Amino acid sequence: MSAMVNALGGVEAAAPHRAPFHARSAGLSLVDGPDVLRVDVADVIQGAVELLLATRRLHGIQFSLELPEDPVPANVSHRRLQQVLLLLLAHAADAAGGQGVRVVVDSPDDFGDLPPRFQFHVAGAQLSPRELQAVFLSPMLVGPLHRKLARARELTESMGGTLAVASDAREGLTVTVELPAPGMTSW
């Protein structure tokens, strides 16, 4: 199931099994409360998009969200994952140059061999080889446009995940994040 977010900030087609952002209590929890360590990646992505739409940060950007029907479990910090997603969404919006951004979420397998994964495809963006190398060294070595990407990489690695970046002149920029595998869920 996928949802399209139009340039005016509205959702054209939402996943039927997802509750609206304002109806979920997890998004409205206290900051100093305990952190959730088992999260649904698709819900966190949807909440991050809705938050940035509400603040008009994504105004004028066409987003395509491709979410699976089933929950995408991950054993990571809800707050840290939300920070990573907000950074990646803001980076994608800045780098898109008026073109669309596609976010694809893949579920882990039932045996825990394949981790949960999501990808950001930004059609109009590119990284030079020097910028690409700097993203993996330090956020301070990257220019202001790609600093959010470097910070997201640091946060992803602090959760035990990986962030990979591929830049192609024809296909644009693809950022792939793999989170730690949640373990066996079908046994």
Side-chain angles (χ1 to χ4, degrees), residues 9-174:
V11 176
E12 292 176 8
H17 68 283
R18 307 258 186 246
F21 178 70
H22 57 81
R24 291 192 310 262
S25 62
L28 303 175
S29 63
L30 295 174
V31 173
D32 58 350
D35 197 9
V36 178
L37 295 178
R38 177 94 169 168
V39 297
D40 180 1
V41 176
D43 276 346
V44 178
I45 287 178
Q46 200 170 18
V49 168
E50 290 173 6
L51 178 64
L52 290 179
L53 282 172
T55 60
R56 301 187 54 81
R57 179 66 174 85
L58 302 179
H59 184 69
I61 306 295
Q62 181 79 22
F63 270 86
S64 168
L65 297 173
E66 296 179 20
L67 306 172
E69 291 286 332
D70 296 328
V72 182
N75 293 332
V76 296
S77 164
H78 181 275
R79 288 186 200 127
R80 183 103 8 122
L81 179 60
Q82 187 177 35
Q83 288 173 332
V84 168
L85 290 167
L86 290 172
L87 285 167
L88 290 175
L89 285 167
H91 174 263
D94 292 344
Q99 296 188 23
V101 175
R102 189 171 134 232
V103 181
V104 179
V105 179
D106 296 324
S107 297
D109 69 339
D110 290 338
F111 300 103
D113 295 330
L114 296 175
R117 177 178 100 148
F118 54 90
Q119 292 183 320
F120 285 76
H121 300 283
V122 186
Q126 279 191 8
L127 280 172
S128 70
R130 186 192 70 71
E131 289 175 317
L132 187 59
Q133 183 180 14
V135 164
F136 291 97
L137 293 175
S138 169
M140 300 314 293
L141 298 175
V142 183
L145 176 61
H146 300 297
R147 193 163 290 146
K148 293 175 191 79
L149 183 58
R151 295 227 186 266
R153 180 206 44 91
E154 286 183 334
L155 286 169
T156 301
E157 289 176 357
S158 74
M159 292 186 298
T162 60
L163 185 141
V165 181
S167 182
D168 185 284
R170 289 173 295 172
E171 296 185 25
L173 188 69
T174 301

